[in-house]
Amino acid sequence: MKINEARPYVVKNLPYALNPRSIAVVGASRYKSKVGNKVVYELQKWGYKGKIYPVNPRADQVLGLKAYHTLSDIPDEIDLVFVAVPAHLVNSIVHEAVKIKAKMLVIATSAFKEIGRGELQNDITEYCREHELPLIGPNLVGMGSPYMHFNCGFIPYLPVPGPIAMISQSGANLLAALGTSQEENLGMSFFVGLGNKADVDFSEFIEYAEADPHTNVLSIYIEGLDSPEAFVKSCQKCTKPIVVIKVGRSQIGVKAAFAHTASENPETDEYYDSIIKEAGAIRVTTWQEFLDVSLALGYQPTLKGDNVVMITNGGGAGLLSCDHFERLGMPLHELKDISPLLAARIRAYMPMFGSPLNPVDISGTASVIQYKGAFQQALRDPKVDGVLGAICPTAVTDVLGVAKAAIEVYESTKELGKPFLMICQGGAECAEAIKLLREHGIPAYKTAEQAVNAMVALRKAAKK
Amino acid sequence: MKINEARPYVVKNLPYALNPRSIAVVGASRYKSKVGNKVVYELQKWGYKGKIYPVNPRADQVLGLKAYHTLSDIPDEIDLVFVAVPAHLVNSIVHEAVKIKAKMLVIATSAFKEIGRGELQNDITEYCREHELPLIGPNLVGMGSPYMHFNCGFIPYLPVPGPIAMISQSGANLLAALGTSQEENLGMSFFVGLGNKADVDFSEFIEYAEADPHTNVLSIYIEGLDSPEAFVKSCQKCTKPIVVIKVGRSQIGVKAAFAHTASENPETDEYYDSIIKEAGAIRVTTWQEFLDVSLALGYQPTLKGDNVVMITNGGGAGLLSCDHFERLGMPLHELKDISPLLAARIRAYMPMFGSPLNPVDISGTASVIQYKGAFQQALRDPKVDGVLGAICPTAVTDVLGVAKAAIEVYESTKELGKPFLMICQGGAECAEAIKLLREHGIPAYKTAEQAVNAMVALRKAAKK
């Protein structure tokens, strides 16, 4: 339901959604296959430090914990009530949550507005608002943070710790991102599924993320924007970069967004474009771009000017990149125009058939020493704003050696505040190099276009 | 150098480039770090069955093989002469290759037209043409085929066997694709780097690929098109789908393409667009799309109509997909419009809060049995032209179980000739599912947009 701006009582209570001292899980089942069981199981498994109170009218114990028949039976203050019972039982639980003065209410249950029960959802929302009990959901997957060892929902894994705050209406896409986080070292500060977002709104989590010390970038997946004014206000106040993917732009997508999270899209996609622009956020198109851009904005400084130098041992990666830079409206400049001195110096790190154009092609024979020298020269040149490196696995390329050299140069030039991204296109050794580079804070990508998308986003973020 | 059409003497001899009975490696070094050593090493390592003759004026043995001081010293017929000596020595080797009546000449050496030595390159090319010795290169990485256990060049690995013929001017991008092949089960029939393509042209390899029994799809990376008429003619004659990525479209890219493979791009990018269209080939934009579309065209039948049904346990993946389908000009239709009967039947495989819209959202609680039923109903419905499945890893999803069910349904409905693609967006279990699905011929992808790109390409291929 629409709000005009982020509500202070909601923002004040949001820390209880991600770092509660106590949780009541209503609908905590004894049976392993049930989602209500998974919530308690995952809380325990990932090392939640607070108290867990399973609530189940037909159980005395769940997963070794004493269970309570009702919320009111719990002899403790409850910060967070997590609801995973069938939809027709939810209303009475909400009233009880208000009664016990819970700080935060999360309704995971589906089958509300998205299947035509808008009135029931609105009634619950209004009741919560009247009693200033912030409600997240309904119809969501959960939330968590690797820093808090907190995994609260139907969520098989925590992400690796890092700077990305992920705020997503879709549970499945959120889960996918968490899986990617583990597989590809995409570090997150916290994550939350908003589902139907009946009450708590994007704007309020944006203010939470702004204050969160672990967060460097906000990554927001939107299916519908009920409160565009509040969104714009909170984004404009936010000093951290914000990446947005907004779906439901196609004809069938408008219907699918309603069927999924009861999201309404009364406006054209151009309207959302303009809202996101006004907010100063960066809109991306594909899910891959969403992850790739988030990674770069999370780990790297923004790009202060257009002078990007690309250093590669593969002319092909260079060509894919420079075409894509131009496609995105930020063409590469020739090295001799950026810095004639650098163009001359960099010659020392390539064979005669290399090319100092930009992309700088130090050739397929490039050694670790040549890479290191070229990286150093480029990053240290005062005319250069950012560097994009690329490794292709020729038969003589020491892929991991180059990755280590890149890390060394990056660490010794970090104080210059210039973004440094890498492309490692190839097989197993490249996957390993990507992991290693990411562990050291260098966003590394499998294809040229992914890295270019990220670099261009770093430029946009500088212009906010 | 320009040709008007594929030359019969070249096409006739190309099998000697990928399945030679004997190879002379000129410039075979004794020193492990040298590229000339790698060529012999990789031929041996990957199990080449023919004869290898190292040629080196200063060595009697290379990697355990008798070495010859000159080509003429070899007491055998030579099918393929592979040249990896410095540029100034190449000309005399070419004359010798003609003298010994080699069937095929490959010049890996760089530093020809791409650094301004166009005249030297043209002289060599004209000499080869005069003597009907087809020349591949110069300035290339090599070629090979997993079916022939043939790895000939500076190439650290063979791809896994499969239906994709990859013809690439860029060596580094080719190597990257070979690495991806191993990592992500992207099966190839053969691959070849063309480099500066002074003599042997795309058109001639297109005719070779058309005749190759292992090839189902041709994937071509182009930096410059010297002989557009020959390209169009050979493509039009080819009965197999052709995917093209053409770079060098940006301002700096035109220069980079010349510096890399001496490729000239005198025409606008729109011209190449029209040439590729006239050829009946499918042009893609990014490297990822190039690989993804190649995979689908290699393994799946074309999509005979627009009626694609998407089945997902995540509404988010559904939304990303339907937006992307519309973005690409092929919007999904609602299930009730495609087949009212199917819309009713598929209800049996989802909870009440699922959505039979299309994307069909069988919800995050979907079991293997529900997936299987939904896949079966969709694939067997005569109104449905193709199916796109998606798995998101919720806490109750049996990702590998669903993948196995998908394989079972696919195998039992294969004779219907409908394409079946999958999305598995998530962590380790999704990566495993993707591998498994690909092993069974189902193109599976990490993100929604990748699969949609592939499905739309299958439709384009049907319209050729």
Side-chain angles (χ1 to χ4, degrees), chain A residues 184 251 255 334 446, chain B residues 184 251 255 326 334 446:
Chain A
E184 299 175 13
Q251 270 196 322
K255 292 186 183 188
E334 287 193 43
K446 276 169 100 167
Chain B
E184 300 176 10
Q251 270 197 321
K255 291 187 182 186
E326 186 166 310
E334 287 194 43
K446 275 171 101 167

Side-chain angles (χ1 to χ4, degrees), chain A residues 29-38, chain B residues 365 395-397:
Chain A
S29 169
R30 285 160 293 179
Y31 306 111
K32 264 177 67 178
S33 65
K34 298 281 180 185
V35 286
N37 179 282
K38 294 279 178 200
Chain B
T365 62
V396 297
T397 310

Side-chain angles (χ1 to χ4, degrees), chain A residues 32-35 38 42 110-111 114-115 117 139 141 153-157 170 172-173 175-180 182-184 221 223 245-257 259-261 285-288 291 313-320 322-324 326-327 332-336 352-355 357-359 361 365 392-396 425-431 446-450, chain B residues 32-35 38 42 110-111 114-115 117 139 141 153-157 170 172-173 175-180 182-184 221 223 245-257 259-261 285-288 291 313-320 322-324 326-327 332-336 352-355 357-359 361 365 392-396 425-431 446-450:
Chain A
K32 264 177 67 178
S33 65
K34 298 281 180 185
V35 286
K38 294 279 178 200
E42 301 290 346
S110 300
E114 78 278 13
I115 63 155
R117 290 172 173 166
N139 186 25
V141 72
F154 322 127
I155 300 169
Y157 23 53
S170 160
N173 285 346
L175 293 174
L178 303 182
T180 305
Q182 287 218 334
E183 274 295 281
E184 299 175 13
Y221 169 94
E223 299 197 349
I245 185 162
K246 160 75 181 66
V247 300
R249 60 208 289 176
S250 61
Q251 270 196 322
I252 207 161
V254 170
K255 292 186 183 188
H260 185 221
T261 53
T285 307
T286 69
W287 184 253
Q288 191 63 55
L291 300 181
N313 69 338
L319 271 155
L320 292 168
C322 68
D323 276 6
H324 202 55
E326 185 166 310
R327 195 179 291 129
L332 288 180
H333 307 298
E334 287 193 43
L335 201 55
K336 66 177 171 50
M352 63 173 299
F353 52 88
S355 162
L357 184 70
N358 192 28
D361 183 353
T365 61
C392 303
T394 76
V396 296
Q425 46 164 184
E429 74 287 48
C430 289
K446 276 169 100 167
T447 69
E449 294 88 352
Q450 292 175 266
Chain B
K32 263 177 69 177
S33 64
K34 297 282 180 187
V35 288
K38 293 281 177 198
E42 301 290 346
S110 300
E114 78 278 14
I115 63 155
R117 290 173 174 165
N139 185 23
V141 70
F154 321 127
I155 300 169
Y157 23 53
S170 160
N173 285 345
L175 293 175
L178 304 182
T180 305
Q182 287 218 335
E183 274 295 280
E184 300 176 10
Y221 169 95
E223 299 196 349
I245 186 163
K246 160 76 180 68
V247 300
R249 59 208 287 176
S250 61
Q251 270 197 321
I252 207 161
V254 170
K255 291 187 182 186
H260 186 220
T261 53
T285 307
T286 68
W287 184 253
Q288 190 63 54
L291 300 182
N313 68 340
L319 272 155
L320 292 168
C322 67
D323 276 5
H324 202 56
E326 186 166 310
R327 196 178 291 128
L332 288 181
H333 306 301
E334 287 194 43
L335 202 54
K336 66 175 170 52
M352 63 174 298
F353 52 87
S355 162
L357 184 71
N358 192 29
D361 182 354
T365 62
C392 302
T394 77
V396 297
Q425 45 163 183
E429 73 286 49
C430 290
K446 275 171 101 167
T447 69
E449 294 87 352
Q450 291 176 267

Side-chain angles (χ1 to χ4, degrees), chain B residues 348-377:
Chain B
Y349 304 98
M350 61 174 79
M352 63 174 298
F353 52 87
S355 162
L357 184 71
N358 192 29
V360 178
D361 182 354
I362 59 175
S363 101
T365 62
S367 66
V368 171
I369 292 166
Q370 288 173 316
Y371 259 111
K372 197 170 166 183
F375 284 153
Q376 247 162 359
Q377 291 292 344

Side-chain angles (χ1 to χ4, degrees), chain B residues 49 68 155 165 194 232 285 386:
Chain B
K49 299 282 185 289
Y68 296 84
I155 300 169
L194 291 188
V232 169
T285 307

Side-chain angles (χ1 to χ4, degrees), chain B residues 212-244:
Chain B
D212 177 49
H214 296 295
T215 298
N216 289 348
V217 60
L218 289 70
S219 302
I220 309 179
Y221 169 95
I222 301 176
E223 299 196 349
L225 205 56
D226 306 318
S227 306
E229 296 85 357
F231 176 77
V232 169
K233 276 182 216 163
S234 294
C235 285
Q236 286 180 341
K237 275 197 287 180
C238 183
T239 61
K240 300 173 182 177
I242 300 171
V243 189
V244 170

